Amino acid sequence: GIIYPFCGRLMESAADGVALDLPKLQLFVRGRDGLQVFDGPCDALSENSTFANGATGPAVYSKDGRLLAVSDAATGVSILSTATGETIMHIARPAVVAMTFSPKASFLLTWERFATDAEQRKPNLFVWSLSTGEPVGEYTQKKYSKEEWPSMQWTDDEALCARCVSNEVHIFDGRAISEGIKHKILLPNVASVSVAPGAAPYKFATFVEEKNTSPASVKIYQFPRLDSAVASKSFFKAQKVECLWNSLGTVLLVLAQTDVDKSNKSYYGESSLYYMAADGSNESLVPTKEGPIHDVKWNPKGTEFIVISGYIPATPVLFDATCRPIFDFGASHRNTICWSPLGRFVCICGFGNLAGDMDFWDRNKLKIINSVKADFTVSLEWAPDGRHVLTGVLHPRRRVDNGFRIWKYNGALVHSFTARELYEVAWKPSVPGIYPDRPQSPKPRGAAAAQPGVSAPVVEVKKVGAYRPPHASGALSELLRRERNPDSGPKKLTSKPEKPVQNFPPGYVETVSKNASRNKKRRQKKKDGTEQDDEVEEASAQVETKTTTETKMSTATAPAVEDLSSLSQEEISKRIRNMNKKIRDVQKLQEQKSQGKELNADQLSKLSTLGSLETQLSELTIHVKST
C-alpha cells in the first residue's frame, strides 16, 4: 500500500483493492468539563488522555495540523503538539477571547476584550512569534465579530499581512511584523479587507459601505500597484458583504446583504451575489432565484461553486468558474453547503430552523448517494480524509442533547458522543496530498455484505400500505409532494450561456413576437374578467383568415342550423373554445400530412371535418356579435 508519515492505522480499502495506511484522524471537543482530544478510526474513536486539559476557553488548530492552541481563563494560552500532546510554549495572557494561527504557523494572533476605562486602556490585539514566544505586534481593536475575524490576514506564503483601519489598509511584511507598516491603501470609509489565497501576484479586496446617496463598492488591488484598483464593482443595498475567493485567487464572489427587506417579503433582509474576475476582465450579477441567498460555497478546487437561493423550498444550483449555471439540484428544504476537502463529495443540508436533512452528492456523477437526518445540528465539517462528516449539537444554541456524530460519505452513522454541555468540536486539519482522492467504495454483495463472524437474523417484514381515510381525495398528499415533482427535481442546465442584458448598448429594447404579445394580452384579459371577448376575437380572426385550400379539403356537409337563441352566453363561449381546439387539432394533422407523415384512418377522417367545424364556428361568432 501507500505509506504516509505518522501513520496510525490501516484504514478502509481503496476502490481498487489496495489497502491504504493513512494517518489517524483527530478532533478536539471543548465543553463544560474542559478540552478533550479524540483520535483513532472513526468507528472506534477513543480519548487521548495526553491532551487532558481543564481549559474551557477557545481552541484552534494550525492550518497544517501540527499545533493546537488552547486558552485558559486562569493561566493563559498553551501551544500543544498534536503528535505528542506536549506543551511547546505558554503565553501568559489569560483574557484571550479569540485566536488564530498564520498560514505557516509562524505566528499566533490573539484578541482580548477592549477596556472601557480610559486609565486601563491598553493594546488588546497581539501578534506572537512562535519561535520566540514574544509579541512582535501590539494594536488596539475595539470590536470583535466572528464574521470579520481574523482582523489581520496573511498571504498563503506569509510574505504580506494586511490590516484594515479607519480610511486605510495597512500592509506589513508578513515575516517581519515588528518592522511596521510597509505600504498603505488609502480609501475613505473602507470597512474591511480580504486577502486572496494563492501565490503572487498578491491581491486584496476592499469593501466601502453604502453612505447617504453613494453606493457601496468592492475594489480589488494587486500588489505592488496599490494606488489604483484592477477591478471595481459598485452596488446599492449592501450594509455588509462577505468576500468569497476561490482557492486559486482568480475569482471573487461578493455576497451583499441588508438587515431589512423593504418589500417585506423576507424576514432576513435582502441579499444579492456578484461575480468579479480578479483581473477585472469580467463582472456580473450571479443569476439566483427570487428571495434570500442562504449559502454560497466554492469547490475546494476553485473551479465551481454552489448557491442556495429562493424562498423555502430553496434551490441549490452549481455554477462553473465563469458564472455559468450547469446543474440544478432541485428545490428542497436546504440552506447549508459543505464540500469535502478534495471536492469529490458535497453535503447539502437544512439546519437552523429546518429539520436537519442532509443530502450526500457525488460531484463527478452529479448523483445523490443518500439522504439522512441529523436533528438539531449546529456545526458541520468534513474530515480531512474527505470520507467522513462531523456534526455537532452545541451550547448555547441547543441546551440539551449536546454531543457530536460522525457520518460516512454515504450517510452511514459510524460514531456518536454525548456531553452535558458542548461548546465546540473540530477536526485536526492536514496538508494537501496526505489523503488520496478516492471514489465511492463498491457496495458489498451477498456474503460480503455481512460482518465477519456475525450472522444477521432473517426477519420477514410484511409491507403495509399507507393509511388512507375514507373518501380522501389525495389533494393534501399531492400538495406535500410538490417539492419532489419532476419540475423541481435535479436536472442539468443549458450548456449555452445566456447573453446578459446589461451588456447590450444603451437604448437596447427587447423585441417581443406577435404570439407572445397576443398571449400576454390574453392573460391580462383573463385577469380582468374579459376572457369571453378575447375568445370571440380569436374566432373572428380564424374565420376571416380561412383559405380556399382549406375549404376544398373539406368534404363533409354542414349540419342543419341549430337554434342558438335558447343557449346562454356562457354555453356559447364554451362551444367557441371547443371549436377552436378541434380546428387546431385538425390543422396540426394537416401539417403532419404535408411533411409526409403517414396518418391512420381515424386521423384521415378528422381531416374531412375541417369545413364543418369552421362553418359551425362562423355561426356561433355571428350569433354572438348580433346579440
Side-chain angles (χ1 to χ4, degrees), residues 600-611:
N600 57 33
D602 292 338
Q603 292 172 326
L604 291 173
S605 64
K606 283 186 179 180
L607 289 177
S608 63
T609 62
L610 181 61

Side-chain angles (χ1 to χ4, degrees), residues 9 11 23-27 38-46 427:
R9 173 183 176 267
M11 302 186 72
K24 290 187 297 184
L25 294 174
Q26 183 184 103
L27 59 88
F38 293 82
D39 54 24
C42 286
D43 55 355
L45 282 178
S46 59
W427 289 109

Side-chain angles (χ1 to χ4, degrees), residues 190-466:
V190 62
S192 63
V193 63
S194 176
V195 178
Y202 309 112
K203 292 173 279 289
F204 306 90
T206 60
F207 167 61
V208 175
E209 295 176 329
E210 184 178 352
K211 189 174 182 180
N212 298 330
T213 58
S214 301
S217 65
V218 171
K219 297 182 178 181
I220 298 177
Y221 296 85
Q222 183 169 298
F223 187 82
R225 294 183 56 188
L226 302 178
D227 53 342
S228 61
V230 295
S232 178
K233 180 69 178 178
S234 299
F235 40 82
F236 288 96
K237 297 182 180 180
Q239 294 177 340
K240 56 183 179 181
V241 302
E242 185 178 358
C243 293
L244 306 167
W245 289 98
N246 68 341
S247 59
L248 307 175
T250 56
V251 177
L252 175 68
L253 295 177
V254 180
L255 178 59
Q257 297 174 306
T258 61
D259 295 329
V260 179
D261 183 0
K262 294 183 179 179
S263 64
N264 292 326
K265 291 183 178 180
S266 174
Y267 174 79
Y268 301 99
E270 295 181 83
S271 54
S272 52
L273 186 64
Y274 299 92
Y275 173 96
M276 297 179 65
D279 58 0
S281 61
N282 186 14
E283 62 177 49
S284 62
L285 179 67
V286 179
T288 58
K289 303 293 182 181
E290 181 183 3
I293 297 174
H294 303 279
D295 199 8
V296 183
K297 288 291 190 304
W298 278 100
N299 186 319
K301 296 178 181 178
T303 56
E304 57 194 6
F305 61 95
I306 296 177
V307 181
I308 301 180
S309 62
Y311 300 108
I312 298 294
T315 305
V317 177
L318 177 68
F319 293 81
D320 64 12
T322 62
C323 200
R324 183 181 62 182
I326 55 179
F327 187 76
D328 185 332
F329 291 88
S332 57
H333 290 75
R334 308 290 183 268
N335 60 3
T336 305
I337 306 162
C338 191
W339 285 93
S340 67
L342 303 173
R344 177 176 291 274
F345 304 115
V346 61
C347 188
I348 301 178
C349 326
F351 296 145
N353 58 348
L354 299 181
D357 296 297
M358 299 196 303
D359 298 334
F360 292 90
W361 287 79
D362 186 320
R363 164 58 190 95
N364 294 352
K365 299 178 180 178
L366 287 176
K367 300 275 181 148
I368 190 168
I369 303 171
N370 197 5
S371 295
V372 296
K373 179 173 285 190
D375 300 322
F376 314 120
T377 295
V378 177
S379 69
L380 173 72
E381 183 184 6
W382 280 88
D385 66 351
R387 312 284 284 184
H388 298 88
V389 171
L390 175 68
T391 60
V393 180
L394 307 179
H395 183 93
R397 177 66 181 268
R398 181 77 178 171
R399 297 183 181 273
V400 295
D401 301 327
N402 284 193
F404 69 83
R405 285 177 283 186
I406 299 178
W407 312 77
K408 206 172 177 183
Y409 67 90
N410 58 7
L413 180 63
V414 296
H415 187 79
S416 181
F417 174 84
T418 59
R420 287 187 302 168
E421 207 170 278
L422 196 63
Y423 307 141
E424 186 181 7
V425 57
W427 289 109
K428 183 189 80 171
S430 71
V431 294
I434 294 295
Y435 295 95
D437 182 12
R438 293 183 288 153
Q440 298 181 49
S441 300
K443 295 181 179 180
R445 296 180 181 178
Q451 295 181 4
V454 178
S455 58
V458 179
V459 180
E460 185 177 353
V461 180
K462 185 179 179 180
K463 293 185 178 180
V464 180

